[in-house]
Every structure is written in C-alpha cells, then in structure tokens.
Amino acid sequence: MDLRLDNVSHHYGDTEVFRDISLEIPSGQIVCIVGPSGCGKSTLLRMLGGLEQPTSGRVLQLGAPPQGCLNPLTYIFQDFALLPWRSVRGNISLVLEDHKMTPKAREEIIADVLARTKLSEFADALPKQLSGGMKQRVAIARALAVNPAVMLMDEPLSALDSQTRELLMDDLISLWTRQPFTAVYVTHNLAEAVRLGHKIVVLSRRPGQIREVVSLETPLAERRYGDASLEAQQQHLWGLMRDEAAAADAELLHV
Amino acid sequence: MSDPARSVEFRGGGFVAQRKRGVGLMVFIVLLLLAEWGTRTGFISALTLPRPSDVLLTFQELYQSGMLFKHLIPSLTRLVIGAAIGATIGITVGVLIGLFSLARAGLVPLVAAIFPIPKIALLPLFVIWFGIDEMSKYALIAFGTFTPTVVATYAAVDNVDRTLIRMGQSFGLSWRSIVAKIVLPGAMPGILSGLRISLTIAIILLVAAEMLGAEYGIGAYILQAGSLYDLERLFAGVVILSVLGVVVSGVIGAVERRVLRWRV
Ligand SMILES: Nc1ncnc2c1ncn2[C@@H]1O[C@H](COP(=O)(O)OP(=O)(O)OP(=O)(O)O)[C@@H](O)[C@H]1O
Ligand SMILES: [Mg+2]
C-alpha cells in the first residue's frame, strides 16, 4: 500500500503552515522528512495518519493494506505514549483487544513482537521501571503488533541519549532488513535521516514547501556509522537546512 | 590549592511523601497524655475537658451495654448507602462533563450553583420530599457527597494526558475502549483524592442528619449527651467519629496504594 499527498496545504487560523505539498510514499521504503522547527512536519504526519484534516488537497491511500494488517497507519510517538498503569505486555495487548481474535492468537502476537524487539524478559514490567530506550522499544513492539502498512514516526529517538539512539537505529535497520516496512520518519537529526532514509524530503521554513528530495541508493544494511559517502550527503543536506534555519531565525527576530 | 577539603553540603532531598509508620499514632498519644495529665493535676478544669480515662470508661460501658452497636450500625448503614449513591452519581456525572462539551456547558454552572449551599439547610426540604425516616438521610448524605465528587472527577478527566488519547485513536481503539482503558484509569488518582474529601463531608452530614431526627445513631447519641452536658459521653461520641474519619482515610490510602501502584 502506497500513500500519496496531493497538493496539500494547511492553515491554522492566519498561520499558513505548509503549502502545496505533493509527495509519494512507496511501499517498502523509509521516507525521512527534515526541516526547520515549526515548518509543519508533525502536522503533516498527523494528516498522513488521519488525526488531522488538511485545509486543502488530499491524502490518498493507494491500494489495499496487506492481509492481516490490523491498523494500516500506525504511529510511534516521540514521548512513547505508553499507558503507565499497564505492563509492557498490557500495553501491547491494548491495541489488540479491540480486534476479534482468540486469546491464544493474541498471546502469540505479543510473544512474537516482544522477541523481535528483545523485550521478552520485561513483559511484566511497568513503564516506570524501564529506561527511555526500552520504553521506545515497547512502543515499537506495540506498533509491530498491529502489523502496520505504514509506520508514522515523529522524532521517535529525540528523547533518547545518543548511545541509545545508535542502538535503536541499528534495531530499526535490522527489523527493516528482515522484513521491509514502509515508514515516514520525521527527524531533526540529519545523521538519522541518512542512516534510515531511502528518500529524504527537505522542507523549507514556514510556510513549508518541498525544497528538495534526496534519494539514497546504498542499501540500509550497508550504511555504517561515519560512512564517507553518507557524510557527504549529510553535508549537502546541512547546506540546504542551514539557509532555511538561519532565515527562520532571522524572521523570529523581526516579529 | 592549599585550602582544606570540605565535603559538598547536601541540599537535595525532601518534597517527597514517604511512609512513616506510627508517627500519626504518636501524635494522638502525646495529646491524650497531655489532657490526662492536665485534668489530673487540675491544670485543666473538669468542666473544660473530660478526663481521657473517664471517656474510655464511658466508652467501655457503652460497649458492654450493647448500645455501641445499636448506635453504630444504623449510622454506618446510612453512611455507606448515602455515600455510595452520591459518589456513584458524582463520578458518572463528572465523567460525562469531562467527555461531552454539551454536558459541560449545561452542568458546570449548575454544579457551581449548588456547591456552596450548606446541604444541612436543605434537610427540611428532604424531609418533605423523602419522608422523615431513612430516605431523607440517605438523600442528604448523597447530595453532600455528590458535588465535591463531580468537581474532582471532571477535573481529573480534564487532566488525563491527551497524547495517550491520541495514541488510542491512532490505533483505532473504539470510543468505549478509550474511555474504559485510558480515560478512567488516567483519572483515577484525581477521583480518589476527591473521594477523600467527599467521604469526610459525608460523615459530617451523617451526624447533622441524625441530630435532626433519629432514635439511634452516633449523631443522636452526641445530641443527647450534649443536651445533658454529659461531656464524657459527648467525647465518647466524638471519638467514634474521629475513628470513623481515620478509618475512611486509611481505606482510601490502601485503595490508592493498590490501584495506583503504577504512579512514579
Ligand atoms: N493545533 C494547533 N493550532 C494552532 N497552531 C498550531 C497547532 N499545531 C501546530 N501549530 C503551529 O503550526 C506550525 C507547525 O507546527 P508543527 O508542530 O507541525 O511543526 P514541526 O515542524 O513539527 O516543528 P518541530 O520541528 O518543532 O517539531 C507551528 O508554527 C505551530 O505553532
Ligand atoms: Mg514536531
């Protein structure tokens, strides 16, 4: 299942958040969205998942979601959004309880996603007992449990320290190589974008428009921390971003 | 660099509620011993305050004559039934106000209007509506428990983390699941601390209702003792009420520790 944005524009009252965004999210690929603060990345992601409606333009879903998909468009949130009163198992079970399935089938899904995210030992822990990185792994496990067609991630790693971030990025890459998933990944961090993205969309400052779409050909599994060609891409992206960020800053001074 | 080494002064800590067993009991004991000592030495005259040991003796009599339970059981029944009705309706209405803008617009001003009415003043009205016997007492207690419960409940629902609700929606949970599994558990801390207040108010109203017309009940017992200036019996009654307050607070504390184990 692909997603397509068709000339999407959005206003909040008088503020024009973004203008005329057209974008294709092909299945099996990770599309990263980068851009200066306030250019509407989170808003765009909310529209992709149906949590908000654009002022004009359309968000289209092309083709049917694959068999066995319980929640085609699934989010992973920056602040994890785990229910503090439910255990790790309970948090994953939450998103399955509204679907018709036998308790045994549900247990199997939970065991499977816990194993894939290396959390089996912590099934009965409460969120308050987990570190930030583990909480985000629980959120990833929860998203995997509904077998999504597209994962929508809004700065999923930015609440974590840089070592945990590296580890989780490796986890995401190995999850993807074992079973390619489609994802839209919003980030501030260009290093993350060049590690994970098949396509990197650079947005301009508000009103957000697409500045450039960079495609990276190196397979995910072969991208290494500190790789020279990735470094070059990152430099290029930073060149684009710097002008926007500087201009956005200057604008703030003039209000 | 020749300055002497000095350990850095500790200035963190505090501002965290910790369980300290026995301290509450100590406070009671010290106050009672002071009263006992004061009345024995004549520092406090017998007219001002009855001697704690005499109150204890009265209490013992009350227990041995079987009158204690004759007063206590009707009181507890009234308290439990009245408070249960009031808290149930209060939590239901509070959740409705928290969830539906229409209910909020219609009911919040109404609740604000009835909150400051001293419910005791309405007892004659309840007697006319529900009769002189038990129903009017239940109604008074229920009404008094209702208002603080409503306010605490809708404030608690308002305070539930919206990102958790968005999460529920983004996973396609049904409205009922979101309310039952996200909103209600998230509002539980606020609801329980609201109950702490409303159940205490229920005890106050219990006594008020019994003073106005009941043969048996702690309120009636206190009223009788008071009209005879029998301070020992008056205090025996007051002690029962205090114990009731402590028990209610203890029960809610125990429920909180069980239900809110997840809190950081
Ligand atoms: N519900 C809302 N009502 C009004 N304005 C909003 C609302 N949500 C966001 N905005 C505004 O829309 C703009 C885009 O917000 P958005 O959160 O999408 O930006 P972002 O690119 O995700 O920023 P960041 O990088 O800081 O996360 C911001 O200027 C913000 O103030
Ligand atoms: Mg954002």
Side-chain angles (χ1 to χ4, degrees):
Chain A
M1 187 185 90
D2 299 356
L3 280 181
R4 182 155 78 203
L5 291 168
D6 237 0
N7 298 92
V8 174
S9 306
H10 193 66
H11 301 259
Y12 280 120
D14 285 339
T15 9
E16 185 175 20
V17 184
F18 46 75
R19 185 188 293 168
D20 242 354
I21 299 216
S22 295
L23 184 66
E24 190 80 42
I25 293 131
S27 78
Q29 293 202 359
I30 300 180
V31 175
C32 290
I33 299 181
V34 297
S37 210
C39 73
K41 305 181 293 294
S42 303
T43 313
L44 195 64
L45 206 65
R46 284 202 293 277
M47 278 166 195
L48 281 170
L51 291 180
E52 200 152 349
Q53 287 181 310
T55 315
S56 70
R58 292 186 305 168
V59 183
L60 299 171
Q61 195 175 309
L62 308 176
Q67 274 280 301
C69 170
L70 300 177
N71 187 46
L73 306 170
T74 297
Y75 282 91
I76 291 176
F77 298 89
Q78 178 177 4
D79 54 1
F80 324 126
L82 300 177
L83 302 185
W85 49 87
R86 283 192 176 222
S87 65
V88 169
R89 184 197 309 279
N91 265 288
I92 300 172
S93 158
L94 173 81
V95 300
L96 300 172
E97 284 162 11
D98 276 13
H99 297 282
K100 269 210 192 74
M101 60 174 76
T102 60
K104 190 160 164 284
R106 188 182 307 146
E107 282 307 314
E108 274 167 14
I109 295 180
I110 295 174
D112 172 53
V113 294
L114 285 179
R116 276 157 76 190
T117 48
K118 296 173 235 152
L119 283 168
S120 305
E121 289 166 53
F122 303 99
D124 296 312
L126 284 173
K128 70 169 179 188
Q129 298 168 293
L130 304 177
S131 68
M134 275 156 83
K135 283 185 200 160
Q136 196 56 295
R137 286 203 334 251
V138 177
I140 293 171
R142 177 177 64 187
L144 291 173
V146 292
N147 203 359
V150 182
M151 292 229 246
L152 304 168
M153 310 194 232
D154 193 354
E155 307 190 27
L157 307 186
S158 64
L160 307 173
D161 61 84
S162 60
Q163 290 90 328
T164 316
R165 205 143 61 201
E166 282 301 324
L167 291 174
L168 264 176
M169 244 189 302
D170 288 343
D171 287 347
L172 282 176
I173 290 174
S174 72
L175 278 173
W176 189 89
T177 26
R178 251 182 293 157
Q179 196 184 68
F181 54 84
T182 318
V184 182
Y185 188 104
V186 167
T187 180
H188 266 127
N189 185 323
L190 297 177
E192 279 173 31
V194 295
R195 281 291 291 289
L196 292 172
H198 295 95
K199 225 160 59 164
I200 299 169
V201 180
V202 184
L203 292 182
S204 69
R205 66 182 188 276
R206 208 176 65 211
Q209 283 171 298
I210 296 183
R211 272 278 318 251
E212 191 171 323
V213 178
V214 179
S215 294
L216 299 182
E217 305 301 339
T218 328
L220 286 195
E222 290 165 24
R223 300 184 191 175
R224 293 277 170 269
Y225 182 67
D227 187 308
S229 67
L230 292 184
E231 201 73 15
Q233 288 288 1
Q234 200 176 324
Q235 284 301 331
H236 171 64
L237 288 169
W238 172 234
L240 293 171
M241 290 271 294
R242 187 172 43 200
D243 305 342
E244 291 299 338
D249 259 3
E251 248 166 38
L252 280 181
L253 290 177
H254 289 129
V255 256
Chain B
M1 281 295 116
S2 58
D3 291 342
R6 197 160 63 89
S7 60
V8 174
E9 206 179 320
F10 176 66
R11 50 183 174 169
F15 298 101
V16 175
Q18 285 173 335
R19 277 198 92 185
K20 294 228 189 288
R21 284 177 175 282
V23 177
L25 199 62
M26 279 304 294
V27 173
F28 278 115
I29 291 175
V30 167
L31 284 178
L32 285 177
L33 286 180
L34 267 179
E36 184 73 31
W37 171 79
T39 43
R40 274 186 194 279
T41 55
F43 182 70
I44 305 173
S45 88
L47 275 178
T48 347
L49 199 69
R51 195 175 288 172
S53 51
D54 288 347
V55 174
L56 192 69
L57 279 179
T58 316
F59 198 82
Q60 215 167 21
E61 261 166 45
L62 189 66
Y63 176 76
Q64 274 160 355
S65 65
M67 288 304 280
L68 176 62
F69 290 103
K70 213 157 181 175
H71 287 297
L72 197 56
I73 286 173
S75 284
L76 283 180
T77 316
R78 289 169 192 142
L79 183 67
V80 169
I81 295 180
I85 296 173
T88 311
I89 302 180
I91 291 174
T92 314
V93 173
V95 170
L96 290 179
I97 292 179
L99 291 178
F100 301 107
S101 309
L102 192 64
R104 175 180 305 252
L107 295 176
V108 169
L110 185 65
V111 171
I114 56 179
F115 208 159
I117 302 175
K119 310 298 179 295
I120 302 168
L122 295 181
L123 190 63
L125 189 68
F126 284 125
V127 171
I128 296 172
W129 286 356
F130 300 105
I132 187 75
D133 51 351
E134 297 302 300
M135 263 323 279
S136 59
K137 298 186 181 65
Y138 298 156
L140 181 74
I141 296 169
F143 196 46
T145 329
F146 169 77
T147 31
T149 310
V150 172
V151 174
T153 304
Y154 82 71
V157 172
D158 287 350
N159 271 330
V160 175
D161 190 351
R162 295 295 120 163
T163 59
L164 294 181
I165 296 178
R166 291 281 168 271
M167 181 278 293
Q169 291 176 320
S170 80
F171 276 95
L173 299 196
S174 65
W175 185 86
R176 287 176 54 148
S177 290
I178 291 180
V179 172
K181 296 171 188 169
I182 300 179
V183 176
L184 286 183
M188 207 40 104
I191 294 178
L192 283 176
S193 62
L195 278 184
R196 220 178 247 284
I197 295 169
S198 36
L199 293 185
T200 315
I201 293 179
I203 298 179
I204 296 175
L205 287 174
L206 165 76
V207 176
E210 289 179 343
M211 280 182 164
L212 279 172
E215 195 180 348
Y216 293 109
I218 299 164
Y221 177 77
I222 292 178
L223 188 72
Q224 271 171 23
S227 57
L228 300 172
Y229 279 87
D230 185 343
L231 288 191
E232 277 85 22
R233 287 177 64 195
L234 183 88
F235 266 77
V238 169
V239 166
I240 298 177
L241 291 179
S242 299
V243 170
L244 209 55
V246 172
V247 168
V248 164
S249 158
V251 167
I252 292 194
V255 171
E256 276 179 345
R257 275 194 299 281
R258 248 193 99 75
V259 177
L260 306 181
R261 241 176 345 130
W262 50 271
R263 267 202 304 200
V264 246

